[in-house]
Tab-separated table of all heavy atoms in Angstrom:
chain	number	residue	atom	x	y	z
A	1	MET	N	0.838	-1.203	0.000
A	1	MET	CA	0.000	0.000	0.000
A	1	MET	C	0.871	1.250	0.000
A	1	MET	O	1.943	1.265	0.573
A	1	MET	CB	-0.903	-0.018	1.229
A	1	MET	CG	-1.982	1.056	1.200
A	1	MET	SD	-2.902	1.068	2.733
A	1	MET	CE	-3.767	-0.505	2.616
A	2	GLU	N	0.351	2.263	-0.641
A	2	GLU	CA	1.077	3.527	-0.722
A	2	GLU	C	1.121	4.206	0.646
A	2	GLU	O	0.120	4.254	1.344
A	2	GLU	CB	0.346	4.437	-1.706
A	2	GLU	CG	1.267	5.371	-2.476
A	2	GLU	CD	0.479	6.238	-3.448
A	2	GLU	OE1	-0.365	5.674	-4.180
A	2	GLU	OE2	0.693	7.450	-3.453
A	3	ALA	N	2.290	4.725	1.020
A	3	ALA	CA	2.426	5.446	2.286
A	3	ALA	C	3.011	6.822	2.026
A	3	ALA	O	3.933	6.968	1.237
A	3	ALA	CB	3.308	4.679	3.248
A	4	THR	N	2.428	7.810	2.682
A	4	THR	CA	2.895	9.187	2.551
A	4	THR	C	3.350	9.667	3.911
A	4	THR	O	2.643	9.502	4.899
A	4	THR	CB	1.749	10.101	2.056
A	4	THR	OG1	1.221	9.555	0.851
A	4	THR	CG2	2.251	11.511	1.782
A	5	THR	N	4.538	10.249	3.965
A	5	THR	CA	5.029	10.804	5.221
A	5	THR	C	4.841	12.314	5.196
A	5	THR	O	5.262	12.985	4.255
A	5	THR	CB	6.518	10.475	5.421
A	5	THR	OG1	6.686	9.066	5.371
A	5	THR	CG2	7.011	10.982	6.769
A	6	ILE	N	4.181	12.798	6.242
A	6	ILE	CA	3.938	14.236	6.367
A	6	ILE	C	4.646	14.711	7.632
A	6	ILE	O	4.485	14.115	8.702
A	6	ILE	CB	2.419	14.526	6.522
A	6	ILE	CG1	1.617	13.924	5.366
A	6	ILE	CG2	2.167	16.023	6.661
A	6	ILE	CD1	1.759	14.624	4.055
A	7	LYS	N	5.434	15.754	7.507
A	7	LYS	CA	6.053	16.351	8.691
A	7	LYS	C	5.046	17.281	9.330
A	7	LYS	O	4.463	18.119	8.644
A	7	LYS	CB	7.312	17.132	8.297
A	7	LYS	CG	8.449	16.235	7.873
A	7	LYS	CD	9.685	17.047	7.519
A	7	LYS	CE	10.801	16.121	7.060
A	7	LYS	NZ	11.968	16.890	6.584
A	8	VAL	N	4.850	17.121	10.632
A	8	VAL	CA	3.861	17.943	11.347
A	8	VAL	C	4.576	18.704	12.459
A	8	VAL	O	5.212	18.101	13.322
A	8	VAL	CB	2.744	17.061	11.941
A	8	VAL	CG1	1.708	17.939	12.643
A	8	VAL	CG2	2.088	16.208	10.859
A	9	THR	N	4.460	20.021	12.420
A	9	THR	CA	5.103	20.862	13.423
A	9	THR	C	4.050	21.501	14.314
A	9	THR	O	3.003	21.917	13.825
A	9	THR	CB	5.900	21.989	12.737
A	9	THR	OG1	6.617	21.432	11.642
A	9	THR	CG2	6.887	22.628	13.685
A	10	GLY	N	4.328	21.550	15.616
A	10	GLY	CA	3.450	22.253	16.533
A	10	GLY	C	2.682	21.355	17.488
A	10	GLY	O	1.972	21.855	18.356
A	11	MET	N	2.838	20.038	17.352
A	11	MET	CA	2.155	19.125	18.275
A	11	MET	C	2.937	19.092	19.592
A	11	MET	O	4.160	18.997	19.594
A	11	MET	CB	2.092	17.706	17.695
A	11	MET	CG	1.256	17.590	16.445
A	11	MET	SD	1.020	15.853	15.962
A	11	MET	CE	2.705	15.351	15.576
A	12	THR	N	2.205	19.185	20.710
A	12	THR	CA	2.884	19.208	22.004
A	12	THR	C	2.438	18.109	22.958
A	12	THR	O	3.071	17.888	23.983
A	12	THR	CB	2.658	20.567	22.706
A	12	THR	OG1	1.246	20.783	22.802
A	12	THR	CG2	3.302	21.706	21.938
A	13	CYS	N	1.345	17.427	22.660
A	13	CYS	CA	0.867	16.414	23.590
A	13	CYS	C	-0.010	15.390	22.867
A	13	CYS	O	-0.240	15.488	21.666
A	13	CYS	CB	0.074	17.063	24.731
A	13	CYS	SG	-1.478	17.787	24.181
A	14	GLY	N	-0.501	14.450	23.636
A	14	GLY	CA	-1.320	13.389	23.067
A	14	GLY	C	-2.609	13.902	22.445
A	14	GLY	O	-3.134	13.304	21.514
A	15	HIS	N	-3.100	15.011	22.992
A	15	HIS	CA	-4.318	15.588	22.428
A	15	HIS	C	-4.077	16.080	21.007
A	15	HIS	O	-4.915	15.911	20.118
A	15	HIS	CB	-4.816	16.736	23.312
A	15	HIS	CG	-6.060	17.391	22.798
A	15	HIS	ND1	-6.025	18.588	22.127
A	15	HIS	CD2	-7.345	16.993	22.820
A	15	HIS	CE1	-7.260	18.902	21.768
A	15	HIS	NE2	-8.086	17.954	22.173
A	16	CYS	N	-2.923	16.686	20.808
A	16	CYS	CA	-2.551	17.145	19.459
A	16	CYS	C	-2.469	15.955	18.506
A	16	CYS	O	-2.955	16.018	17.370
A	16	CYS	CB	-1.191	17.841	19.496
A	16	CYS	SG	-1.115	19.292	20.552
A	17	VAL	N	-1.849	14.888	18.974
A	17	VAL	CA	-1.701	13.691	18.148
A	17	VAL	C	-3.082	13.153	17.762
A	17	VAL	O	-3.327	12.809	16.605
A	17	VAL	CB	-0.895	12.603	18.905
A	17	VAL	CG1	-0.914	11.285	18.136
A	17	VAL	CG2	0.538	13.070	19.126
A	18	ALA	N	-3.990	13.139	18.722
A	18	ALA	CA	-5.345	12.649	18.454
A	18	ALA	C	-6.067	13.541	17.455
A	18	ALA	O	-6.762	13.049	16.560
A	18	ALA	CB	-6.125	12.570	19.768
A	19	SER	N	-5.888	14.862	17.592
A	19	SER	CA	-6.544	15.803	16.679
A	19	SER	C	-6.037	15.625	15.257
A	19	SER	O	-6.819	15.600	14.304
A	19	SER	CB	-6.272	17.246	17.115
A	19	SER	OG	-6.812	17.479	18.382
A	20	VAL	N	-4.730	15.505	15.119
A	20	VAL	CA	-4.137	15.350	13.786
A	20	VAL	C	-4.545	13.999	13.187
A	20	VAL	O	-4.882	13.914	12.001
A	20	VAL	CB	-2.594	15.482	13.857
A	20	VAL	CG1	-1.945	15.106	12.531
A	20	VAL	CG2	-2.205	16.908	14.240
A	21	THR	N	-4.534	12.969	14.008
A	21	THR	CA	-4.921	11.637	13.533
A	21	THR	C	-6.350	11.657	13.000
A	21	THR	O	-6.632	11.167	11.900
A	21	THR	CB	-4.820	10.609	14.675
A	21	THR	OG1	-3.488	10.607	15.174
A	21	THR	CG2	-5.169	9.203	14.176
A	22	LYS	N	-7.242	12.268	13.770
A	22	LYS	CA	-8.649	12.348	13.397
A	22	LYS	C	-8.822	13.127	12.091
A	22	LYS	O	-9.599	12.728	11.211
A	22	LYS	CB	-9.414	13.052	14.529
A	22	LYS	CG	-10.793	12.520	14.792
A	22	LYS	CD	-11.330	13.188	16.057
A	22	LYS	CE	-12.835	13.045	16.143
A	22	LYS	NZ	-13.368	13.808	17.301
A	23	ALA	N	-8.109	14.235	11.978
A	23	ALA	CA	-8.199	15.069	10.773
A	23	ALA	C	-7.723	14.306	9.545
A	23	ALA	O	-8.341	14.361	8.475
A	23	ALA	CB	-7.368	16.336	10.964
A	24	LEU	N	-6.642	13.566	9.704
A	24	LEU	CA	-6.093	12.809	8.571
A	24	LEU	C	-7.036	11.675	8.163
A	24	LEU	O	-7.210	11.400	6.975
A	24	LEU	CB	-4.716	12.246	8.927
A	24	LEU	CG	-3.597	13.282	9.037
A	24	LEU	CD1	-2.340	12.656	9.625
A	24	LEU	CD2	-3.296	13.898	7.690
A	25	GLN	N	-7.650	11.047	9.155
A	25	GLN	CA	-8.541	9.918	8.861
A	25	GLN	C	-9.792	10.352	8.098
A	25	GLN	O	-10.443	9.536	7.459
A	25	GLN	CB	-8.933	9.204	10.168
A	25	GLN	CG	-7.799	8.342	10.708
A	25	GLN	CD	-8.075	7.807	12.101
A	25	GLN	OE1	-8.927	8.315	12.818
A	25	GLN	NE2	-7.345	6.777	12.487
A	26	LYS	N	-10.106	11.643	8.185
A	26	LYS	CA	-11.292	12.152	7.480
A	26	LYS	C	-11.028	12.414	6.005
A	26	LYS	O	-11.967	12.593	5.231
A	26	LYS	CB	-11.751	13.464	8.139
A	26	LYS	CG	-12.555	13.270	9.391
A	26	LYS	CD	-13.072	14.631	9.869
A	26	LYS	CE	-13.412	14.606	11.335
A	26	LYS	NZ	-13.489	15.977	11.886
A	27	VAL	N	-9.749	12.479	5.631
A	27	VAL	CA	-9.414	12.768	4.230
A	27	VAL	C	-9.764	11.553	3.367
A	27	VAL	O	-9.399	10.420	3.707
A	27	VAL	CB	-7.912	13.111	4.085
A	27	VAL	CG1	-7.550	13.359	2.623
A	27	VAL	CG2	-7.556	14.325	4.939
A	28	PRO	N	-10.491	11.775	2.266
A	28	PRO	CA	-10.875	10.660	1.410
A	28	PRO	C	-9.660	9.866	0.926
A	28	PRO	O	-8.663	10.454	0.511
A	28	PRO	CB	-11.570	11.342	0.225
A	28	PRO	CG	-12.041	12.645	0.760
A	28	PRO	CD	-11.036	13.052	1.793
A	29	GLY	N	-9.749	8.548	1.014
A	29	GLY	CA	-8.676	7.688	0.533
A	29	GLY	C	-7.719	7.220	1.604
A	29	GLY	O	-6.896	6.349	1.369
A	30	VAL	N	-7.825	7.813	2.821
A	30	VAL	CA	-6.917	7.420	3.899
A	30	VAL	C	-7.362	6.084	4.496
A	30	VAL	O	-8.516	5.925	4.895
A	30	VAL	CB	-6.864	8.509	4.998
A	30	VAL	CG1	-6.108	8.001	6.225
A	30	VAL	CG2	-6.210	9.763	4.455
A	31	GLU	N	-6.439	5.134	4.538
A	31	GLU	CA	-6.715	3.825	5.144
A	31	GLU	C	-6.313	3.855	6.620
A	31	GLU	O	-7.013	3.333	7.469
A	31	GLU	CB	-5.922	2.730	4.430
A	31	GLU	CG	-6.231	2.606	2.949
A	31	GLU	CD	-7.489	1.785	2.683
A	31	GLU	OE1	-7.909	1.052	3.587
A	31	GLU	OE2	-8.029	1.883	1.571
A	32	SER	N	-5.157	4.451	6.888
A	32	SER	CA	-4.710	4.574	8.267
A	32	SER	C	-3.755	5.749	8.391
A	32	SER	O	-3.084	6.119	7.432
A	32	SER	CB	-4.015	3.292	8.735
A	32	SER	OG	-2.759	3.159	8.107
A	33	ALA	N	-3.739	6.331	9.592
A	33	ALA	CA	-2.848	7.451	9.874
A	33	ALA	C	-2.120	7.165	11.181
A	33	ALA	O	-2.745	6.951	12.215
A	33	ALA	CB	-3.647	8.747	9.978
A	34	ASP	N	-0.795	7.114	11.106
A	34	ASP	CA	0.028	6.834	12.279
A	34	ASP	C	0.827	8.094	12.605
A	34	ASP	O	1.806	8.413	11.943
A	34	ASP	CB	0.954	5.652	11.964
A	34	ASP	CG	1.832	5.281	13.154
A	34	ASP	OD1	1.540	5.740	14.267
A	34	ASP	OD2	2.816	4.549	12.957
A	35	VAL	N	0.365	8.816	13.635
A	35	VAL	CA	0.970	10.100	13.974
A	35	VAL	C	1.913	9.923	15.159
A	35	VAL	O	1.553	9.326	16.170
A	35	VAL	CB	-0.119	11.147	14.308
A	35	VAL	CG1	0.516	12.492	14.638
A	35	VAL	CG2	-1.102	11.286	13.154
A	36	SER	N	3.135	10.430	15.008
A	36	SER	CA	4.140	10.332	16.062
A	36	SER	C	4.505	11.709	16.584
A	36	SER	O	4.935	12.584	15.823
A	36	SER	CB	5.393	9.631	15.524
A	36	SER	OG	6.471	9.813	16.429
A	37	LEU	N	4.346	11.891	17.892
A	37	LEU	CA	4.710	13.162	18.538
A	37	LEU	C	6.232	13.308	18.557
A	37	LEU	O	6.766	14.371	18.256
A	37	LEU	CB	4.140	13.177	19.958
A	37	LEU	CG	4.397	14.416	20.815
A	37	LEU	CD1	3.808	15.663	20.193
A	37	LEU	CD2	3.822	14.205	22.209
A	38	ASP	N	6.940	12.237	18.918
A	38	ASP	CA	8.399	12.270	19.009
A	38	ASP	C	9.050	12.583	17.676
A	38	ASP	O	9.994	13.368	17.612
A	38	ASP	CB	8.927	10.926	19.525
A	38	ASP	CG	8.530	10.680	20.978
A	38	ASP	OD1	8.235	11.670	21.678
A	38	ASP	OD2	8.530	9.515	21.404
A	39	LYS	N	8.560	11.963	16.632
A	39	LYS	CA	9.168	12.165	15.313
A	39	LYS	C	8.589	13.373	14.593
A	39	LYS	O	9.078	13.757	13.541
A	39	LYS	CB	8.957	10.917	14.444
A	39	LYS	CG	9.712	9.696	14.952
A	39	LYS	CD	9.438	8.501	14.051
A	39	LYS	CE	10.101	7.239	14.589
A	39	LYS	NZ	9.672	6.041	13.842
A	40	ALA	N	7.510	13.955	15.144
A	40	ALA	CA	6.833	15.095	14.513
A	40	ALA	C	6.446	14.770	13.077
A	40	ALA	O	6.700	15.552	12.152
A	40	ALA	CB	7.702	16.346	14.580
A	41	GLN	N	5.856	13.601	12.921
A	41	GLN	CA	5.442	13.220	11.573
A	41	GLN	C	4.217	12.310	11.613
A	41	GLN	O	3.854	11.768	12.656
A	41	GLN	CB	6.582	12.506	10.840
A	41	GLN	CG	6.859	11.111	11.367
A	41	GLN	CD	7.942	10.389	10.580
A	41	GLN	OE1	8.745	11.012	9.903
A	41	GLN	NE2	7.968	9.079	10.667
A	42	ALA	N	3.620	12.191	10.446
A	42	ALA	CA	2.484	11.286	10.281
A	42	ALA	C	2.756	10.390	9.078
A	42	ALA	O	3.179	10.874	8.033
A	42	ALA	CB	1.211	12.082	10.044
A	43	ILE	N	2.550	9.111	9.264
A	43	ILE	CA	2.663	8.186	8.145
A	43	ILE	C	1.248	7.760	7.789
A	43	ILE	O	0.528	7.176	8.606
A	43	ILE	CB	3.541	6.975	8.509
A	43	ILE	CG1	4.970	7.445	8.788
A	43	ILE	CG2	3.530	5.961	7.354
A	43	ILE	CD1	5.869	6.370	9.348
A	44	VAL	N	0.856	8.134	6.581
A	44	VAL	CA	-0.518	7.915	6.148
A	44	VAL	C	-0.539	6.882	5.034
A	44	VAL	O	0.177	7.007	4.043
A	44	VAL	CB	-1.146	9.225	5.645
A	44	VAL	CG1	-2.598	9.003	5.255
A	44	VAL	CG2	-1.039	10.308	6.717
A	45	LYS	N	-1.355	5.862	5.219
A	45	LYS	CA	-1.485	4.829	4.197
A	45	LYS	C	-2.811	4.978	3.468
A	45	LYS	O	-3.819	5.334	4.066
A	45	LYS	CB	-1.368	3.433	4.817
A	45	LYS	CG	0.058	3.147	5.278
A	45	LYS	CD	0.202	1.778	5.892
A	45	LYS	CE	1.644	1.570	6.344
A	45	LYS	NZ	1.770	0.358	7.161
A	46	GLY	N	-2.759	4.684	2.186
A	46	GLY	CA	-3.950	4.802	1.368
A	46	GLY	C	-3.664	5.612	0.121
A	46	GLY	O	-2.513	5.906	-0.192
A	47	SER	N	-4.721	5.996	-0.556
A	47	SER	CA	-4.567	6.653	-1.854
A	47	SER	C	-4.809	8.159	-1.780
A	47	SER	O	-4.998	8.809	-2.804
A	47	SER	CB	-5.528	6.027	-2.856
A	47	SER	OG	-6.855	6.171	-2.390
A	48	ALA	N	-4.813	8.715	-0.570
A	48	ALA	CA	-5.135	10.133	-0.417
A	48	ALA	C	-4.080	11.029	-1.055
A	48	ALA	O	-2.897	10.686	-1.089
A	48	ALA	CB	-5.283	10.475	1.064
A	49	ASP	N	-4.516	12.173	-1.538
A	49	ASP	CA	-3.634	13.167	-2.124
A	49	ASP	C	-2.820	13.848	-1.024
A	49	ASP	O	-3.366	14.268	-0.001
A	49	ASP	CB	-4.492	14.195	-2.873
A	49	ASP	CG	-3.646	15.301	-3.457
A	49	ASP	OD1	-2.827	14.991	-4.336
A	49	ASP	OD2	-3.806	16.448	-3.028
A	50	ALA	N	-1.513	13.952	-1.234
A	50	ALA	CA	-0.624	14.521	-0.217
A	50	ALA	C	-1.011	15.954	0.137
A	50	ALA	O	-0.976	16.336	1.310
A	50	ALA	CB	0.823	14.466	-0.697
A	51	GLN	N	-1.399	16.735	-0.857
A	51	GLN	CA	-1.774	18.125	-0.581
A	51	GLN	C	-3.045	18.204	0.258
A	51	GLN	O	-3.196	19.106	1.083
A	51	GLN	CB	-1.951	18.903	-1.896
A	51	GLN	CG	-0.650	19.092	-2.671
A	51	GLN	CD	0.467	19.727	-1.837
A	51	GLN	OE1	0.207	20.628	-1.039
A	51	GLN	NE2	1.689	19.247	-1.997
A	52	ALA	N	-3.938	17.245	0.062
A	52	ALA	CA	-5.167	17.210	0.865
A	52	ALA	C	-4.833	16.861	2.314
A	52	ALA	O	-5.454	17.381	3.248
A	52	ALA	CB	-6.144	16.184	0.282
A	53	LEU	N	-3.840	16.000	2.506
A	53	LEU	CA	-3.419	15.629	3.865
A	53	LEU	C	-2.810	16.834	4.575
A	53	LEU	O	-3.124	17.114	5.735
A	53	LEU	CB	-2.390	14.492	3.802
A	53	LEU	CG	-2.864	13.185	3.180
A	53	LEU	CD1	-1.699	12.221	3.035
A	53	LEU	CD2	-3.977	12.554	4.007
A	54	ILE	N	-1.956	17.549	3.854
A	54	ILE	CA	-1.315	18.736	4.420
A	54	ILE	C	-2.366	19.786	4.776
A	54	ILE	O	-2.335	20.384	5.852
A	54	ILE	CB	-0.277	19.301	3.419
A	54	ILE	CG1	0.928	18.345	3.361
A	54	ILE	CG2	0.164	20.711	3.806
A	54	ILE	CD1	1.905	18.640	2.243
A	55	ALA	N	-3.338	19.975	3.887
A	55	ALA	CA	-4.399	20.955	4.134
A	55	ALA	C	-5.207	20.579	5.374
A	55	ALA	O	-5.567	21.448	6.171
A	55	ALA	CB	-5.306	21.041	2.914
A	56	ALA	N	-5.465	19.283	5.550
A	56	ALA	CA	-6.249	18.828	6.701
A	56	ALA	C	-5.516	19.097	8.007
A	56	ALA	O	-6.115	19.519	8.998
A	56	ALA	CB	-6.548	17.328	6.569
A	57	VAL	N	-4.202	18.892	8.004
A	57	VAL	CA	-3.404	19.154	9.214
A	57	VAL	C	-3.396	20.646	9.519
A	57	VAL	O	-3.562	21.070	10.669
A	57	VAL	CB	-1.959	18.627	9.050
A	57	VAL	CG1	-1.088	19.052	10.229
A	57	VAL	CG2	-1.954	17.111	8.912
A	58	ARG	N	-3.235	21.458	8.481
A	58	ARG	CA	-3.196	22.919	8.677
A	58	ARG	C	-4.525	23.437	9.207
A	58	ARG	O	-4.568	24.347	10.029
A	58	ARG	CB	-2.839	23.613	7.364
A	58	ARG	CG	-1.360	23.438	7.044
A	58	ARG	CD	-0.969	24.158	5.785
A	58	ARG	NE	0.465	23.989	5.534
A	58	ARG	CZ	1.043	24.168	4.364
A	58	ARG	NH1	0.327	24.522	3.318
A	58	ARG	NH2	2.340	23.998	4.225
A	59	GLU	N	-5.619	22.840	8.741
A	59	GLU	CA	-6.944	23.257	9.218
A	59	GLU	C	-7.094	22.988	10.712
A	59	GLU	O	-7.859	23.669	11.400
A	59	GLU	CB	-8.042	22.498	8.460
A	59	GLU	CG	-8.522	23.239	7.225
A	59	GLU	CD	-9.494	22.409	6.406
A	59	GLU	OE1	-10.332	21.711	7.002
A	59	GLU	OE2	-9.403	22.453	5.161
A	60	GLU	N	-6.374	21.991	11.200
A	60	GLU	CA	-6.407	21.671	12.636
A	60	GLU	C	-5.553	22.647	13.437
A	60	GLU	O	-5.578	22.633	14.656
A	60	GLU	CB	-5.852	20.265	12.867
A	60	GLU	CG	-6.811	19.112	13.024
A	60	GLU	CD	-8.197	19.416	13.535
A	60	GLU	OE1	-8.323	19.617	14.761
A	60	GLU	OE2	-9.141	19.401	12.750
A	61	GLY	N	-4.742	23.448	12.750
A	61	GLY	CA	-3.917	24.443	13.430
A	61	GLY	C	-2.460	24.080	13.572
A	61	GLY	O	-1.725	24.705	14.345
A	62	TYR	N	-2.018	23.068	12.832
A	62	TYR	CA	-0.613	22.673	12.891
A	62	TYR	C	0.021	22.888	11.526
A	62	TYR	O	-0.661	22.895	10.506
A	62	TYR	CB	-0.478	21.202	13.311
A	62	TYR	CG	-1.178	20.918	14.608
A	62	TYR	CD1	-2.485	20.424	14.605
A	62	TYR	CD2	-0.564	21.195	15.822
A	62	TYR	CE1	-3.148	20.200	15.802
A	62	TYR	CE2	-1.227	20.973	17.018
A	62	TYR	CZ	-2.522	20.474	17.001
A	62	TYR	OH	-3.180	20.272	18.174
A	63	GLU	N	1.346	23.041	11.528
A	63	GLU	CA	2.038	23.234	10.267
A	63	GLU	C	2.408	21.869	9.699
A	63	GLU	O	2.781	20.957	10.459
A	63	GLU	CB	3.291	24.098	10.470
A	63	GLU	CG	4.057	24.419	9.213
A	63	GLU	CD	3.185	24.926	8.069
A	63	GLU	OE1	2.213	25.644	8.313
A	63	GLU	OE2	3.470	24.562	6.914
A	64	ALA	N	2.257	21.737	8.390
A	64	ALA	CA	2.537	20.461	7.754
A	64	ALA	C	3.317	20.655	6.469
A	64	ALA	O	3.168	21.676	5.793
A	64	ALA	CB	1.239	19.725	7.465
A	65	ALA	N	4.136	19.673	6.163
A	65	ALA	CA	4.896	19.686	4.912
A	65	ALA	C	5.114	18.253	4.479
A	65	ALA	O	5.060	17.331	5.303
A	65	ALA	CB	6.234	20.383	5.110
A	66	LEU	N	5.362	18.090	3.206
A	66	LEU	CA	5.615	16.747	2.687
A	66	LEU	C	6.959	16.264	3.234
A	66	LEU	O	7.963	16.956	3.138
A	66	LEU	CB	5.635	16.789	1.156
A	66	LEU	CG	5.498	15.445	0.438
A	66	LEU	CD1	4.236	14.705	0.872
A	66	LEU	CD2	5.463	15.676	-1.064
A	67	GLY	N	6.952	15.074	3.827
A	67	GLY	CA	8.188	14.519	4.385
A	67	GLY	C	8.907	13.665	3.359
A	67	GLY	O	8.520	13.608	2.203
A	68	SER	N	9.964	13.028	3.817
A	68	SER	CA	10.722	12.185	2.892
A	68	SER	C	10.522	10.722	3.227
A	68	SER	O	10.105	10.381	4.315
A	68	SER	CB	12.202	12.533	2.964
A	68	SER	OG	12.607	12.567	4.297
B	1	LIG	CU1	-1.566	18.992	22.498
């Protein structure tokens, strides 16, 4: 399955992780979203568009960028 890594900046606690996870899971095509506070990133599996994932994170109030 296709996996997209998104760098997420601004998360400070488990609540942030839950908010970002929930936002990513709402994006069409997302099968799973694994958000890590320590790594400041989200690994998203599925066919979702990377720009849509970034937009969803930003709407939650966090900064996002395409990771490597
Ligand atoms: Cu938080």
Side-chain angles (χ1 to χ4, degrees):
M1 190 185 292
E2 212 179 312
T4 305
T5 303
I6 304 287
K7 289 181 182 174
V8 182
T9 316
M11 295 189 296
T12 56
C13 68
H15 180 259
C16 300
V17 172
S19 297
V20 171
T21 302
K22 217 172 162 186
L24 289 170
Q25 284 171 341
K26 280 186 202 162
V27 178
V30 170
E31 300 278 342
S32 71
D34 181 14
V35 181
S36 166
L37 180 61
D38 292 338
K39 293 179 184 171
Q41 71 177 21
I43 296 172
V44 183
K45 290 180 181 170
S47 59
D49 177 64
Q51 293 306 321
L53 298 173
I54 289 170
V57 173
R58 286 182 179 160
E59 268 174 39
E60 262 334 282
Y62 305 95
E63 183 48 36
L66 196 56
S68 49

